[in-house]
Amino acid sequence: MTNALMDASDAQVAALDSIVSSLRQTDATLSSVLAVRDGMLALASRLALTVAEQGGHPDHGDLTLRTVAAEIGAAQRVSDRTVQRWMADAEWLVTRFPQVWAAQGAGRISAGHARVIVEAGSHLEDPAERAAYAESVLAIAEQESPNRLRPMARRLAERYQPLPIDERHRRARKKCGVWLDDLEDGNSKITAITSSALAHGMFDRLSEMATELKNHNAQAAAEARAAGARVVPASDAAARQAAGSSAFGSAADGAVFVADDRTVAQLRADLLADLVLSGVPTGHDTEDGLLARIVPHVQVTVPILTLMGLDRAGVPLPPAELDGACPIDLDTARRLAGAASGWDRVLTDPITGGVLAVDRYRPSTHLRRYLHARDQRCRFPTCGRRASQCDLDHNRAASAGGATSAENLGDFCRRHHILKHHSPWHVEQLGGGVFAWTSPTGRLYIDRPPPQNTVTFQPPDPDPSRDLWASVPAAETAPF
């Protein structure tokens, strides 16, 4: 594999540096312009509602909003339905999250960051709670990409939820269902809304099966090629017809081997059909039943106080989290924990919330478990691929004397693992799980491990007569 940019001249690196700087400035300008646009759309929405209120319209301004949206849409050659949706979104942002709108207008965050923040806090009705949430999440948004911000914004918003997760989950279950939409060219789309625990489990099992099957297919093609067969990709209809075959072959077929070259995403879709229609991967399993043996794996993190149900009035406890991405109800979390043959215990600092250690009641690969718990996702800046799907990489190569320790290891997805080894990108660990990346143009990017889903406490009060629970910070001042 070639080393990317290693052969670039100083002038070419300088040109790249100039392009990166210009793009950053351009994006900041675009964010500001989009914020101005949202302000105008929100103003148009308010104007329509004011007119409707003055006239006492019985439809509460719906027709007036349509009329204004049609006026704007005709001028901009955009559907009035689209414009009305823009107006509603802009009104929500400008009115309910003015700090977020102002940050976007100043170029501190992008429109993508703003959408993530608004979506995560859309349930917050109290203005003071919305303001406290916005202030907390903006500090993170200025340092992280939108995809990384999403789970952290959801976690922060949970601190201001007026209803417990169990009650909200019971209500949300009423939205579960399956829908079918026909698409073009003989395809259709099935959409399912179900419990997050079930959805993540299903997707994980499909992904594991698809990956195993793709590896099996690649090995079979390699063996056929080594045996002297001409390998023909199944997706190449012309080559398949010329070969006189329409089905997947085997190495014993002779001169022609039709290789299954479906992607993991395509295999997921075909395996889903297998499982729903027959209950097992009938059309895709290997002779030894490899796919049928695969079971799903999901990661649930839940603070021990929450798991035990310890609560005191006025003290918010965080809910359980699924794969570090979304909250789940505590009843589901407790049942998953109770049914697990073993589970990881993540020990965190009671003040900072940082990971101190990880152990397991049935010990195995201690260091790997610790690093997955610490990193949670790929440690390249902006990447959100979760740690369970990443490679563990030595910062300093083991062949060069690098230690196999937490201070020299990190989780990198395959894409950024390759980038680290085959490009001028350089990474160094600064201690405490902090990674410093240096780009080919010399820019420094600091990547810190994401906060744990845990309970943290303020330093103890010198007055020993005070209740210990009184030192637990209120939601507005809780450290993150």
Side-chain angles (χ1 to χ4, degrees), residues 321-334:
E321 281 187 352
L322 188 68
D323 282 337
C326 59
I328 61 172
D329 63 290
L330 299 183
D331 181 61
T332 298
R334 291 187 182 110

Side-chain angles (χ1 to χ4, degrees), residues 75-313:
Q76 295 188 286
R77 298 183 299 280
V78 179
S79 164
D80 58 284
R81 290 184 176 85
T82 299
V83 172
Q84 191 168 352
R85 186 174 65 252
W86 288 349
M87 290 166 60
D89 291 343
E91 172 72 12
W92 193 268
L93 170 64
V94 173
T95 303
R96 297 175 70 90
F97 296 91
Q99 308 102 307
V100 178
W101 178 51
Q104 182 185 336
R108 291 161 46 202
I109 63 171
S110 69
H113 288 96
R115 281 194 298 272
V116 168
I117 294 171
V118 171
E119 288 172 3
S122 61
H123 60 275
L124 300 177
E125 296 296 334
D126 183 82
E129 291 182 345
R130 280 201 306 272
Y133 158 73
E135 181 180 357
S136 299
V137 77
L138 278 172
I140 303 170
E142 293 179 25
Q143 304 296 326
E144 296 287 1
S145 58
N147 64 317
R148 280 189 172 186
L149 175 65
R150 182 170 285 105
M152 290 186 277
R154 287 173 176 167
R155 186 185 300 169
L156 272 175
E158 280 293 326
R159 297 184 177 183
Y160 303 98
Q161 273 281 10
L163 293 176
I165 182 66
D166 297 65
E167 175 63 25
R168 285 182 283 121
H169 181 67
R170 280 193 291 271
R171 294 185 180 186
R173 289 288 294 169
K174 298 177 181 179
K175 301 177 182 178
C176 291
V178 178
W179 296 268
L180 175 67
D181 295 299
D182 291 325
L183 307 177
E184 66 282 351
D185 303 325
N187 275 354
S188 295
K189 178 174 69 174
I190 291 180
T191 302
I193 295 180
T194 186
S195 164
S196 293
L198 297 178
H200 278 249
M202 289 188 291
F203 188 79
D204 184 81
R205 189 179 186 214
L206 286 172
S207 297
E208 290 270 354
M209 295 171 76
T211 300
E212 288 288 345
L213 184 57
K214 186 166 181 63
N215 292 339
H216 175 82
N217 293 337
Q219 182 179 355
E223 291 173 352
R225 193 176 288 107
R230 182 163 66 93
V231 176
V232 177
S235 58
D236 190 337
R240 222 168 57 189
Q241 185 175 9
S245 176
S246 60
F248 301 146
S250 67
D253 286 343
V256 176
F257 179 83
V258 181
D260 184 350
D261 59 343
R262 286 173 292 177
T263 66
V264 170
Q266 291 167 340
L267 287 167
R268 278 197 205 102
D270 292 340
L271 286 164
L272 176 63
D274 267 4
L275 292 170
V276 171
L277 295 175
S278 66
V280 292
T282 305
H284 295 86
D285 209 353
T286 60
E287 292 183 0
D288 58 354
L290 173 66
L291 301 186
R293 296 197 301 270
I294 293 177
V295 296
H297 295 83
V298 297
Q299 182 184 49
V300 176
T301 60
V302 52
I304 189 63
L305 298 181
T306 305
L307 185 64
M308 295 170 63
L310 298 181
D311 193 7
R312 293 284 290 271

